[in-house]
Each structure stands twice: as C-alpha cells, then as structure tokens.
C-alpha cells in the first residue's frame, strides 16, 4: 500500500514508519519540521497542515491507499485531510487518546465508556464524532486508536525519563499519594504494530481501539521496574510520598502522571487485530534506557530538581 503519515519524524511516527516499511509498504511523510526520514526510501513532504492552501498545494495530485493522522489534535486539523481524500482512500487511521474518557470509579475503561467533553483532548473527541458521522453516512473507512501512556525510545514526554533522572543519581523519588494509583504504559513499538495491524481489515472500519500493555502497574511499581531496567536494586529506592494539595508548584509539573487510577481494557484489539504486546515493562524500559536515555547523555546533564527539593524538605 502507498501510505501517508501526517507527522512521522518523532516518536510514534518513527516507530510506525519503520514498521510499515518492514512490511513492504511505501511510506510518505508530511510534517512541518526538517528532521531526517526515519527509514531509507521514505519520501518527505514538508509543510504546515494548519495552512489549508499549502496543504492542498503540497498534496494535490497525490494518491494514497491509507492515511495515518498522528498529529491532528483538533477537528480543524483533520477535516481538510479527510475532505481531500475521502473518496479515494481505503483506510483512514486516527490517533486519539485514552485521555478522552470520563473519570470513573469503575475500571478499566472500555471503548464504549462515557467520554469527557471537557477533556484537554476534547479536540480528538470532536474529530472522532466527525469521523463516526462520515462512517454512518457514507461508510467512510476510519479507525481510531486510543493509547494510554506511551513509552519507549524517542519519547519526548517525561514519562520513564522522569524516573531515570532520579534513580541514576540515587535521589529520593517523590510520588504523590501513597504510590498505589494504578496506571498502564504501552511500548511505542507495540503501538506501531497494532496500528499497522489495523490495515486491510474491514472489521476495524468505524471502530475505536484502546492500545496499551496487557498489565497494569502502580506508580511505585514503575519506579521499581525502572530501577530494575537500569541495573539498580529496586529495594534500595527511597520514596517520599506527599499530598500535592499541600504544595503550590505554579505551572510546573511535579509528576508525569494524572493523580488517579487510569487504565484501559485492550481485549477488543487483542480479538480483532491478531496482535498482542511483545514488550513486558522491564524489557521495554531497558530499550528506553539503553537506546535513548544513555545515548542522549541525559544521565550526565544538569537536571532541575527544585520541586523535588521542595517536597523532600517539607517531608523532613
């Protein structure tokens, strides 16, 4: 298949591009930056998707069998792409987020569970609603992907690196609450494999899939697994538990995860996609540490621990 990826030179886009190339697909990337192609033989089209006239000029005359929209956050980002290709593509795969679910006391989240219209990902909800409407009216072949927290090499969000920063320096690890909030991480290569598995499967048209790891983990558990992944003794970690309401951190983020239980069921993806995660958490965290964190030199860089020090001082 000839496949267009909107945003393909960072993190998820890199893993997806490499996966699709390995399967024999022809991949074209449309992105705003000037990062190099993540694999040989990939065509790059540079442009700003928010400039609709530029978008039309850059993609006019192009034809694709499938489109992965990894970078659309608002309906206004995605609608122009869909309008251009709606009558001439076989599959449109949209990157949504598990962050759209309404906070609930009943977990895990399933795809049909209520969503939060005021979520910070509400633009993705609007986009999904538009795609569902097109599917109902015209049979538009879309599939939406809702990952939870993504980790792995190339992660530009402070997820696993937040823990690595403290553990490699033998610093205390401050965790809100008692460390027993339960969450879920998914390796970026497992996510890419699931996205690729959606292709050519009519059963996925009009469907939404949670994609992540099979197992769940506590916040303290993540720290211990990170220690294990980098060769430290997890039993020697020093945790500092605190109530975030006792502090004013301003706009700074003190911890990389939301302060609630947050995990999804991925049964639907396991059933429909002939896919399952390959990485367990320790193995996946090892890839982050050895392939990304250490080569980047971050383990030797100066890190701002001012918020940590504030928490530690208050804890005595």
């Amino acid at each position: 298949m000839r496949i267009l990826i909107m945003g393909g030179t960072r993190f998820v886009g890199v893993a997806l591009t490499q996966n699709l190339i390995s399967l024999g697909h022809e991949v074209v990337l449309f992105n705003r930056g000037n990062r190099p192609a993540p694999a040989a033989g990939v065509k790059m089209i540079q442009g700003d998707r928010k400039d609709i006239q530029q978008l039309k000029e850059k993609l006019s005359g192009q034809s694709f069998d499938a489109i992965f929209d990894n970078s659309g956050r608002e309906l206004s980002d995605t609608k122009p792409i869909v309008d251009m290709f709606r009558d001439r593509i076989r599959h449109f795969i949209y990157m949504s987020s598990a962050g759209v679910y309404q906070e609930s006391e009943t977990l895990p989240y399933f795809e049909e569970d209520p969503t939060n219209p005021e979520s910070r990902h509400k633009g993705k909800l609007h986009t999904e609603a538009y795609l569902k409407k097109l599917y109902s009216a015209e049979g538009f072949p879309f599939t939406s992907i809702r990952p939870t927290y993504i980790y792995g090499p190339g992660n530009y969000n402070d997820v696993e690196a937040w823990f690595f920063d403290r553990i490699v320096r033998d610093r205390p690890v401050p965790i809100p609450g008692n460390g027993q909030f339960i969450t879920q991480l998914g390796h970026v290569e497992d996510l890419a494999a699931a996205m690729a598995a959606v292709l050519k499967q009519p059963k996925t048209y009009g469907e939404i899939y949670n994609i992540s790891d099979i197992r769940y983990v506590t916040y303290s558990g993540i720290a211990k697994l990170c220690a294990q992944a980098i060769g430290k003794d997890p039993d020697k970690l020093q945790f500092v538990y605190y109530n975030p309401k006792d502090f004013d951190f301003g706009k700074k983020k003190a911890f990389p995860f939301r302060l609630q239980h947050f995990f999804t069921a991925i049964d639907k993806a396991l059933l429909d996609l002939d896919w399952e995660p390959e990485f367990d958490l320790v193995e996946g965290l090892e890839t982050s540490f050895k392939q990304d964190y250490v080569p980047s030199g971050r383990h030797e860089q100066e890190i701002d621990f001012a918020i940590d020090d504030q928490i530690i001082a208050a804890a005595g």
Side-chain angles (χ1 to χ4, degrees):
M1 299 177 73
R2 189 168 195 260
I3 298 172
L4 173 67
I5 300 178
M6 301 298 295
T9 59
R10 298 181 73 193
F11 198 31
V12 175
V14 170
L16 177 62
T17 298
Q18 292 171 344
N19 187 292
L20 293 173
I21 290 291
S22 73
L23 295 173
H25 298 296
E26 178 186 352
V27 178
V28 178
L29 306 183
F30 186 97
N31 60 83
R32 186 174 53 188
N34 54 7
R35 292 172 177 268
V42 174
K43 181 178 178 180
M44 306 275 286
I45 300 176
Q46 188 173 0
D48 184 353
R49 68 177 300 163
K50 292 185 179 295
D51 185 332
I52 297 177
Q53 185 58 40
Q54 184 181 116
L55 191 70
K56 291 179 178 179
E57 291 174 358
K58 297 279 188 175
L59 295 178
S60 177
Q62 297 277 348
S63 62
F64 304 100
D65 298 298
I67 297 175
F68 285 89
D69 187 357
N70 290 353
S71 59
R73 296 190 60 84
E74 305 293 336
L75 176 57
S76 57
D77 296 332
T78 298
K79 188 175 184 299
I81 304 292
V82 173
D83 290 346
M84 285 179 66
F85 294 100
R86 62 198 285 177
D87 298 323
R88 49 197 180 101
I89 58 168
R90 294 158 56 187
H91 210 158
F92 186 89
I93 299 93
Y94 180 67
M95 176 62 77
S96 185
S97 169
V100 301
Y101 290 113
Q102 181 72 51
E103 187 172 349
S104 173
E105 294 178 343
T106 304
L107 296 170
Y109 294 110
F110 287 85
E111 287 86 350
E112 64 271 16
D113 282 346
T115 53
N116 179 6
E118 298 305 317
S119 157
R120 71 183 184 92
H121 299 289
K122 60 186 177 183
K124 291 186 178 293
L125 276 180
H126 298 157
T127 304
E128 284 184 336
Y130 169 70
L131 294 172
K132 289 177 186 176
K133 184 177 179 180
L134 277 185
Y135 176 72
S136 297
E138 307 174 9
F140 181 69
F142 92 93
T143 303
S144 186
I145 304 294
R146 290 179 179 171
T148 50
Y149 292 112
I150 312 168
Y151 77 105
N155 195 358
Y156 48 82
N157 293 312
D158 263 1
V159 178
E160 64 270 42
W162 186 93
F163 292 90
F164 292 157
D165 283 343
R166 288 146 183 83
I167 295 169
V168 297
R169 295 171 176 82
D170 295 319
R171 288 184 59 91
V173 182
I175 296 183
N178 63 359
Q180 296 306 299
F181 278 126
I182 300 171
T183 194
Q184 180 184 36
L185 280 69
H187 195 278
V188 65
E189 292 181 26
D190 284 331
L191 172 60
M195 294 169 73
V198 164
L199 289 171
K200 297 183 180 179
Q201 298 216 45
K203 73 172 81 171
T204 69
Y205 296 167
E207 299 292 339
I208 294 170
Y209 293 95
N210 295 328
I211 303 293
S212 195
D213 196 359
I214 293 174
R215 305 191 70 174
Y216 314 133
V217 62
T218 66
Y219 292 162
S220 296
I222 294 173
K224 292 178 181 179
L225 293 174
C226 283
Q228 187 178 339
I230 66 179
K232 295 265 189 177
D233 185 348
D235 292 331
K236 292 184 178 179
L237 292 180
Q238 180 184 355
F239 291 104
V240 177
Y241 299 111
Y242 65 96
N243 183 353
K245 293 182 180 180
D246 294 340
F247 297 88
D248 179 9
F249 300 125
K251 294 183 178 181
K252 292 184 177 180
K253 195 172 183 180
F255 192 67
F257 302 115
R258 47 175 61 81
L259 305 184
Q260 65 180 80
H261 296 303
F262 180 67
F263 52 97
T264 67
I266 63 168
D267 307 61
K268 183 177 176 181
L270 294 172
L271 182 65
D272 284 2
L273 304 184
D274 190 25
W275 161 90
E276 64 179 16
E278 292 187 7
F279 290 88
D280 66 32
L281 257 176
V282 173
E283 181 187 10
L285 290 167
E286 286 177 353
T287 67
S288 289
F289 187 72
K290 295 176 181 178
Q291 298 176 24
D292 190 7
Y293 187 84
V294 172
S296 73
R298 181 160 166 166
H299 61 301
E300 298 175 335
Q301 295 172 8
E302 193 74 23
I303 304 294
D304 182 2
F305 291 113
I307 288 181
D308 286 34
D309 292 339
Q310 181 183 350
I311 295 167
I312 294 166

